[in-house]
Amino acid sequence: MLTIDGKSIPLACVDGRHTVLDAARAVGAHVPAFCSDRRVTTGGHCRMCMVEVDGRVVAACATAARDGQTVRTDTPRLKAYRQDLGELVVSEAAAGGRAGAELATMGVTGERYPLRRVAAGRPRDESHPYLRLDLNACILCRLCVRACDELQGQFVYAVTGRGASTHISWGEGAFKDSPCVSCGACASICPTGAITDRDRERSAGLIEDRVVQTTCSYCGVGCQLAVHAAGEHILRIEGARSPVNHEHLCVKGRYAHTFVHHEDRLREPLMRKSGVLTPVTWREALDRVASELRAAAPNVAMLSSSRCTNEENYLAQKWFRAAFDTNNVDCCARVCHAPSAAGMRATLGTGAATNSLEDLERCDVLLLSGSNTTESHPVTGARIKQAVLGGTRLIVVDPRRTELARMADLHLRLEPGTNVALLNSLAAALVDEGLLDRAFLETRVEGFEAYARFISACLPEDMEAITGVPASQVRRAARMYAGAARPMQAHGLGMTEHFQGSEGVMLLCNLALLVGAVGREGVGVNPLRGQNNVQGAADMGCQPDSTTGYQRVDDPAVRAKFTAAWGRPFPEREGLTLPQMYDAARRGELKAMYIFGEDVVQTDPDAHSVVAALRALDFLAVQEIFPSRTSALAHVVLPGASFLEKDGTFTNGERRIQRVRQVLDPVGDARPDWRILCDLMAASGFPQPFTRPSEIMDEIARVHPGFTGVSYPRLVRNGLQWPVPSAEHPGTPILHRESFPLPGGKARLVCVEYRRSPTLDARRGGDLMLITGRVLAHYNSGSMTRRTPNATLEPADRLQMHPTDADARGLRTGDVVRLENRFGEATGCVEVTDAVAPGTVFLTFHHPESNTNFVTSDVQDRIAGCPEYKLVPVAVSRA
């Protein structure tokens, strides 16, 4: 029995993994601790948490809780010790924050010892857009060092000097020039205010009245946020406890929230009158939209929003299918991970991640393909860094030398556009060297004999001339992947946004099947979904061939089921994909379009043709939170709500359904998007009974087999991973444990021949190959992040160029350049770097003035219709 101040403590705390400090907190005993935080390892630096254990004075944070111990936390001896230590602390640092408050309660006055502050006279550093550093308040607890090292893996801080001159440092110069990635972990963990941030300073004096847990609306990781608020003010955002992010956040999730009250927000409905978008009443705007769509039906189309909730996406597709008799419904998955869904369905039977993010800590080899994870999915990227630092081996497939590629055991730096050739060569090496799980292939996979004959022609030695990757590296990667007990895969848009994107994903599945890496912990094939709810938008049926739950529209039983649920039928014929919608609009066949939460003019490829399509429509309605290039072409613009202003759910990339909770009221006369859609459905003659989003989820659960057991009360803690087939089911962290949802219950090996992209065949338009993508500080169109201090972190779109190519053109870092090809022109700010190979350039697309997607091509994936954003020739010259 372990007792603390006479109280017995739970046996769970006496398991060898918990400390005396943990045990003390479990029984409510107050033990001050300035250098301890559950997010990081024990430091034992401040010595403030000293307690008596069996009469000995020890540090509670560094002493294991064991059966039989007698612990005292508040004796006169301990009080005197802590007060004296506190006096020493304040003689060396002007400690504020929670540590300063704690010292004040101890009666520390700062009068016992003379001041001898190491940082005295050192100016406070305010150079960073968010972080503020004042070493005069530092007590050398080293929490900032451990947070930066153990949570983010950035290693910005160090302890410099010896003895009385010891202090925290971050290299030479101002903090803004350090390698900091602005995750804010150091500010959230600092006990004294030596490191603080803009949010904490800005909210000083405001009294917090609530903390609301919600889900981040940036990337598909789905981080849980604890939003601290006062009235209509966001005070700060912290990471919440969750298996998704373990209280960690990136610069966007923690800091990029001030867009909510930006002056550019749409605050009232707008209607085009005499060529000008003019404020109107909601009634006038709703009636106009409904009448225009009814008049044009069924030659109308809906593009739903991967930024909005499951409930809103469900309503959007229900509205168009049942009210306008069309399956012309799509979402932005079409231009990002539609190839993942298509490729995985063809091989595994389900087009979603097979495993959970937690398996990143369980795998012993990670094959990461086409993903700059530390910038595109920063919290997952940090998790991968920690796994690699802890011994997980990493294989990266990417034409760019990303941060993770630099950390990798193997970087297979292939020529852009040769994913299929490389993955075939990896599979050929597995078969050639007998690196196979024969039992798994015999019992759970079909087609191996035919596949083995096909793949024998794709040996690494045969593919080397195409991919540019030495055969020896490919074979080494194959041995590393097959030799692991738990080989896991993750892939990003560098795999999908290609002419053979869907087929490339099929080949990733082939690799997993060959070594039996599906259906158990620490393995699987896992797409890193781009937008916050792109998984959910597809789950809800925002695609032209299937409705909610991936139930095909050409199945009579499905149509009968939904007709009974909705009270209206919908057509059997598949609708148009997004690229097909544009084509039909330019031909005059599609008459009207509703675009919900997407700025397609900025984010879709070959933007000139997108603009031409939208201009050809008789009617365009846009539902948005900010004016955009797309809304500028609209006849009606409806002001929606940000994720902080409404309720609902998002589904992250690991199929986890999580709550979105309202923190603020919508600005101006804006409305929650689900409410707008219900109002429009009523105006269209298809009224809905819903008074709150939870009721919409209840209907989803009635029609979606994978959501049958989903309800808001069940999502309170960590959400649920679909499928959830009953109200008692705990969710499904791992798919395909016993069988695959394909005929016979077996997965399929798929034979895919490498085909050169039409872009590579012609190489028309320039001598450099352009790859496009994201950067850490921004998110897709940048409509939200550009309206926060993140804009100062990345004020312009960067064009990465190899030194050889830059020298040939007389260019240096910082030069502004023009990119040209047969599709159009764009601009960028040069960054000379070896992150890209000679002959290749990389450009982000977050700033409208750059026109990045005016030079991306019209080439699409052969199966899913996803654009080839990752490969287009350009000519680059000084602007």
Side-chain angles (χ1 to χ4, degrees), residues 133 157 232 237 297 343 352 355 417 444-445 474 481 512 578 590 596 598 655 711 840 874:
L133 294 94
Y157 298 107
E232 290 302 301
I237 295 179
N355 287 63
R444 302 203 56 193
V445 181
V474 175
Y481 182 68
L578 180 57
L590 187 70
F596 173 29
E598 300 290 347
R655 300 172 283 104
S711 63
T840 302
V874 293

Side-chain angles (χ1 to χ4, degrees), residues 85-369:
L85 180 59
E87 294 288 355
L88 285 168
V89 167
V90 298
S91 75
E92 296 181 351
R98 62 180 175 84
E102 182 79 52
L103 291 169
T105 65
M106 295 179 188
V108 173
T109 63
E111 298 173 355
R112 183 173 302 177
Y113 299 105
L115 297 181
R116 54 187 188 89
R117 293 175 179 169
V118 173
R122 182 163 181 169
R124 172 181 161 96
D125 190 308
E126 298 184 354
S127 62
H128 191 275
Y130 291 116
L131 296 167
R132 310 286 185 259
L133 294 94
D134 182 2
L135 295 188
N136 291 287
C138 178
I139 62 171
L140 289 174
C141 69
R142 294 164 173 81
L143 277 174
C144 59
V145 178
R146 281 176 281 153
C148 193
D149 295 358
E150 298 173 20
L151 300 180
Q152 184 59 40
Q154 204 63 22
F155 302 94
V156 171
Y157 298 107
V159 179
T160 303
R162 291 190 175 191
S165 65
T166 305
H167 62 281
I168 298 294
S169 67
W170 54 81
E172 298 295 327
F175 189 76
K176 70 178 179 62
D177 300 321
S178 75
C180 173
V181 293
S182 312
C183 73
C186 55
S188 76
I189 209 169
C190 177
T192 67
I195 304 175
T196 187
D197 58 34
R198 179 180 180 273
D199 283 353
R200 285 171 169 79
E201 291 191 337
R202 190 170 49 88
S203 61
L206 295 175
I207 300 175
E208 179 181 300
D209 57 33
R210 63 196 182 281
V211 180
V212 180
Q213 182 167 332
T214 191
T215 304
C216 182
S217 74
Y218 284 109
C219 75
V221 174
C223 292
Q224 290 298 286
L225 313 178
V227 183
H228 297 249
E232 290 302 301
H233 299 279
I234 301 297
L235 304 182
R236 69 184 187 279
I237 295 179
E238 302 284 5
R241 298 183 77 169
S242 162
V244 174
N245 56 303
H246 297 292
E247 301 179 70
H248 192 41
L249 293 174
C250 78
V251 61
K252 296 187 288 290
R254 189 183 301 277
Y255 293 127
H257 56 80
T258 53
F259 71 86
V260 173
H261 290 124
H262 195 277
E263 61 183 3
D264 290 347
R265 279 290 301 273
L266 292 167
R267 287 173 163 80
E268 55 193 342
L270 305 173
M271 186 184 298
R272 193 170 297 281
K273 296 183 176 182
S274 302
V276 178
L277 285 170
T278 305
V280 295
T281 66
W282 270 104
R283 185 74 270 151
E284 187 177 359
L286 294 169
D287 287 346
R288 172 74 186 282
V289 173
S291 63
E292 293 280 1
L293 292 175
R294 279 200 309 267
N299 299 314
V300 297
M302 159 65 76
L303 177 65
S304 81
S305 177
S306 295
R307 289 190 290 157
C308 291
T309 65
N310 287 319
E311 294 77 5
E312 291 156 352
N313 281 283
Y314 174 78
L315 289 176
Q317 58 90 35
K318 177 182 180 180
W319 175 32
F320 266 62
R321 286 192 158 103
F324 303 129
D325 196 37
T326 182
N327 287 315
N328 294 339
V329 180
D330 212 348
C331 68
C332 84
R334 183 66 50 198
V335 298
C336 59
H337 270 290
S340 287
M344 295 178 73
R345 275 199 301 267
T347 51
L348 307 180
T350 302
T354 63
N355 287 63
S356 303
L357 291 171
E358 289 181 295
D359 281 334
L360 289 169
E361 282 85 48
R362 299 176 179 134
C363 69
D364 45 13
V365 166
L366 176 65
L367 174 61
L368 182 68
S369 305

